[in-house]
């Protein structure tokens, strides 16, 4: 009797995912989870409200009409939400970009500024394709901590002018706004506390007729959607040479701030982002912004912290809605938005600054355990940023300082010991990393006059990293050769032997 053939049973409907379930797996979280959708929408609204006075202020710094800053914030946020590499990060008009392009606008006019924004976007796309984002791996943690702390200080300092020479009612409003943001989350987290604070303070000032500075005092809001167009400049080589230096500076500053902000959001959310895509995305966003007549921008750190850390947003929807709500609020609800008291937005930004600061980095226990060089790098970064009001300058100077300290530390690890082998030859054993900092004093570690006729330099416990080390070894051989003595170099690993063989004798004219 033949055994009965086993026929695979069909998968039951209970175990197989339905087409609807498979489709849900392909959709973003905000389409399938109402809680996520609510969080993203409310976060976008809070950020849009906070963007308005900032964009107007940065427009004033750049010397342009406030509408240009608001247009830039709208187009940057909407475009980067699609093409950017870091979800939930906010890009808009920023102070760093305004400082770079202000002289160009002052000396050559608005047309050249718009053209520079477009060219800066092109530069950013090219730099992104070339892999400039990979340089972020060379930013040490101490620089990152200094970056975060200086950012918090700058956010707070930017609010100080809003608290000077103002009616006395501003101060209780700020205190009340801070209290709401501290205690309201204990009641519910369904609605972001900053949004509640803005709404409550606005209602109080309007209902009580309290005369305090408002968003409308900062400048006029746009009354229509922007339309694309070309910059009003002659398309000549002279124009290109005029705008190119400013465009390159804007591209570098914008990428630096954007990549540092992306790294910060990575740490906060415990996720990774595509920095190359972010670099290219920033460029595309600036190109689009330029054609719409905006002043350009980059990642906006304060508003990103509102979106990610305060409001809990995690998707591209919040970024898109921040830009969309911004334009809707300006064009449709301009009169209402103009009545929002600046005290409400100041309270939000003060809370952001306190939440952003890394208080653990200043704890006595942390300072006792941290190497002095790491603390110095953090302080240098903070000092440079606070002095120049430019985060990119602080990051560059802090990173260079960290590299110098590291080079000095590693240089001291290179050691030379001398022994005499049974054949009477002097054997110098070199240990450690040989590079420009450690090899400079290598030449002085040998006894040229008293050594025997044969010298062996044992590099089995060392590694040659650069041409400076090869030149130092050549100089040592030259000094012995002048005394009629021979030198043999042994123990080179493969990489060191390859570098030494390629450069030896080519750096000092032979020996």
């Amino acid at each position: 009797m033949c055994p009965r053939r086993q026929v695979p049973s069909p998968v039951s409907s209970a175990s197989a995912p339905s087409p609807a379930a498979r489709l849900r797996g392909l959709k973003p979280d905000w389409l399938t989870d109402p809680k996520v959708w609510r969080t993203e929408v409310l976060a976008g609204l809070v950020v849009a409200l906070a963007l308005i006075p900032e964009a107007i202020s940065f427009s004033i710094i750049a010397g342009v009409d406030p509408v240009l800053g608001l247009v830039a914030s709208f187009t940057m946020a909407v475009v980067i939400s699609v093409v950017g590499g870091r979800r939930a990060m906010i890009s808009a008009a920023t102070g760093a970009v305004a400082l770079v392009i202000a002289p160009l606008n002052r000396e050559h006019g608005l047309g050249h500024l718009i053209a520079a924004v477009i060219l800066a976007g092109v530069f950013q796309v090219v730099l992104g394709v070339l892999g400039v984002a990979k340089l972020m791996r060379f930013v040490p943690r101490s620089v990152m901590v200094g970056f975060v702390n200086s950012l918090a200080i700058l956010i707070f300092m930017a609010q100080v002018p809003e608290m000077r020479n103002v009616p006395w009612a501003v101060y209780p409003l700020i205190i009340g706004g801070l209290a709401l943001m501290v205690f309201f989350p204990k009641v519910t987290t369904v609605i972001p506390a900053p949004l509640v604070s803005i709404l409550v303070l606005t209602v109080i000032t309007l209902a009580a007729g309290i005369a305090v500075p408002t968003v409308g005092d900062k400048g006029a809001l746009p009354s229509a959607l922007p339309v694309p167009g070309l910059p009003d400049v002659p398309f000549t080589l002279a124009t290109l040479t005029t705008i190119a230096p400013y465009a390159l500076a804007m591209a570098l500053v914008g990428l630096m701030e954007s990549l540092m902000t992306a790294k910060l959001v990575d740490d906060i959310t415990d996720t990774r982002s595509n920095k190359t895509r972010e670099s290219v995305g920033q460029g595309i966003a600036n190109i689009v912004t330029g054609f719409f007549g905006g002043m350009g921008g980059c990642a906006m750190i304060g508003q990103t912290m509102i979106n990610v850390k305060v409001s809990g947003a995690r998707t591209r929807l919040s970024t898109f809605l921040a830009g969309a709500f911004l334009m809707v609020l300006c064009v449709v609800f301009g009169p209402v938005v103009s009545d929002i008291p600046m005290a409400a937005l100041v309270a939000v930004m003060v809370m952001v600054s306190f939440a952003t600061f890394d208080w653990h980095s200043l704890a006595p226990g942390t300072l006792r355990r941290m190497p002095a060089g790491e603390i110095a790098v953090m302080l240098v970064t903070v000092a440079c940023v606070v002095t120049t009001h430019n985060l990119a300058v602080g990051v560059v100077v802090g990173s260079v300082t960290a590299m110098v300290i590291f080079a000095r530390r590693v240089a001291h690890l290179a050691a030379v010991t001398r022994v005499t082998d049974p054949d009477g030859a002097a054997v110098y054993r070199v240990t450690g990393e040989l590079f420009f900092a450690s090899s400079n004093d290598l030449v002085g570690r040998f006894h040229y006059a008293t050594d025997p006729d044969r010298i062996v330099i044992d590099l089995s416990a060392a590694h040659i990293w650069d041409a400076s080390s090869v030149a130092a070894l050549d100089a040592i051989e030259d000094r012995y050769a002048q005394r009629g003595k021979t030198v043999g170099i042994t123990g080179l690993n493969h990489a060191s032997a390859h570098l030494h063989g390629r450069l030896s004798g080519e750096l000092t004219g032979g020996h």
Side-chain angles (χ1 to χ4, degrees):
M1 189 173 180
C2 295
R4 187 175 181 179
R5 187 168 62 90
Q6 299 292 325
V7 179
S9 59
V11 179
S12 66
S13 60
S15 60
S18 65
R22 288 195 296 269
L23 184 60
R24 282 196 300 271
L26 298 175
K27 293 180 179 179
D29 291 342
W30 55 268
L31 277 178
T32 58
D33 189 339
K35 183 178 179 181
V36 173
W37 183 87
R38 182 179 63 245
T39 298
E40 299 297 313
V41 171
L42 293 176
L45 180 57
V46 173
V47 172
L49 290 169
L51 276 173
I52 294 173
E54 296 283 294
I56 294 174
S57 298
F58 297 145
S59 301
I60 294 171
I61 292 174
V64 299
D65 191 297
V67 172
L68 272 69
L70 292 165
V71 167
S73 297
F74 161 62
T75 54
M76 289 292 296
V78 169
V79 174
I80 206 68
S81 69
V82 179
V83 300
R86 172 66 258 178
R87 292 181 297 174
M89 193 166 78
I90 305 297
S91 290
T94 58
V97 169
L99 288 170
V100 171
I101 60 178
L104 178 63
N105 178 61
R106 187 169 54 249
E107 296 171 13
H108 299 279
L110 180 60
H112 283 75
L113 183 150
I114 301 300
V117 170
I118 297 173
L119 182 59
V122 174
F123 282 150
Q124 287 178 328
V125 171
V126 173
L127 291 171
V129 172
L130 293 177
V132 70
K134 295 177 182 178
L135 296 176
M136 290 304 297
R137 72 182 71 177
F138 297 107
V139 178
R141 182 186 179 279
S142 53
V143 173
M144 192 67 191
V145 173
F147 170 81
V148 171
N149 289 345
S150 56
L151 159 65
I153 294 171
L154 286 186
I155 292 175
F156 182 83
M157 289 175 62
Q159 313 315 310
V160 173
E162 305 296 338
M163 295 184 277
R164 288 178 179 166
N165 302 319
V166 294
W168 67 269
V170 168
Y171 303 109
L173 286 174
I174 293 175
I175 295 172
L178 291 172
L180 277 171
M181 285 183 283
V182 170
F183 295 109
F184 186 79
K186 301 180 185 300
V187 178
T188 179
T189 57
V190 173
I191 304 175
L195 180 58
V196 174
S197 177
I198 293 171
L199 293 175
V200 170
L201 295 188
T202 302
V203 170
I204 290 175
T205 54
L206 291 177
I210 302 174
V212 292
T214 63
V215 171
D217 296 332
K218 287 288 185 179
L221 303 181
S223 57
L225 293 174
V227 293
L230 294 175
D232 184 17
V233 293
F235 292 91
T236 62
L237 182 60
T239 300
L240 180 62
T241 56
T242 299
I243 66 174
Y246 296 95
L248 181 59
M250 175 183 165
L252 294 174
V253 169
L255 281 184
M256 177 72 72
E257 292 211 20
S258 299
L259 294 175
M260 289 295 290
T261 305
K263 189 173 187 300
L264 177 59
V265 177
D266 288 353
D267 294 340
I268 293 173
T269 61
D270 196 24
T271 58
R272 296 185 64 184
S273 60
N274 188 329
K275 305 300 189 300
T276 297
R277 178 176 173 179
E278 183 61 39
S279 301
V280 174
Q282 289 290 332
I284 295 173
N286 272 307
I287 292 172
V288 173
T289 296
F291 282 119
F292 276 91
M295 58 176 278
C298 61
M300 204 169 192
I301 305 169
Q303 273 62 25
T304 297
M305 291 299 100
I306 294 176
N307 196 46
V308 174
K309 200 165 186 177
V310 178
S311 301
R314 292 293 183 270
T315 76
R316 297 179 183 274
L317 179 63
S318 59
T319 306
F320 175 84
L321 289 179
F325 281 152
L326 171 65
M327 198 49 56
V328 171
L329 289 170
C330 292
V331 175
V332 181
F333 301 101
V336 177
V337 173
S338 296
D339 289 332
I340 295 175
M342 283 301 300
L345 300 176
V346 168
V348 171
M349 298 309 293
V350 168
M351 180 60 71
V352 169
S353 70
F354 275 90
T356 302
F357 198 92
D358 187 353
W359 298 100
H360 178 71
S361 64
L362 296 183
T366 304
L367 294 176
R368 282 195 300 269
R369 296 183 182 92
M370 192 71 66
E374 302 281 320
I375 297 174
V377 169
M378 180 183 72
L379 295 177
V380 166
T381 303
V382 172
C384 287
V385 172
V386 173
T387 302
T388 64
H389 285 227
N390 191 323
L391 291 161
V393 171
V395 170
V396 171
V397 174
S399 297
V400 171
T401 303
M403 291 176 186
V404 171
I405 292 175
F406 173 78
R408 286 177 57 85
R409 187 182 303 161
V410 174
H412 293 309
L413 298 179
V416 178
T417 57
R418 181 186 183 281
V419 296
T420 303
D421 71 1
D423 297 333
V427 179
Y428 288 88
R429 291 194 177 95
V430 182
T431 60
E433 308 301 322
L434 298 182
F435 64 111
F436 63 90
S438 60
S439 60
N440 282 338
D441 62 348
L442 188 65
V443 178
R445 308 290 290 276
F446 291 80
H447 305 157
Y448 303 99
T450 59
D451 275 341
D453 292 340
R454 191 164 67 87
I455 297 90
V456 177
I457 302 177
D458 181 6
L459 297 177
S460 56
H463 186 93
I464 299 176
W465 286 103
D466 59 7
S468 296
S469 302
V470 177
L473 292 173
D474 284 354
I476 293 169
E477 292 186 71
D478 285 343
R479 292 196 180 189
Y480 278 117
Q482 291 171 6
R483 293 171 172 79
K485 302 175 182 181
T486 59
V487 177
I489 297 177
T490 63
L492 289 169
N493 58 38
H494 178 74
S496 299
H498 177 72
L499 183 63
H500 184 266
R502 191 172 78 241
L503 297 180
S504 181
E506 303 295 329
L507 303 172
T508 59
H511 50 260

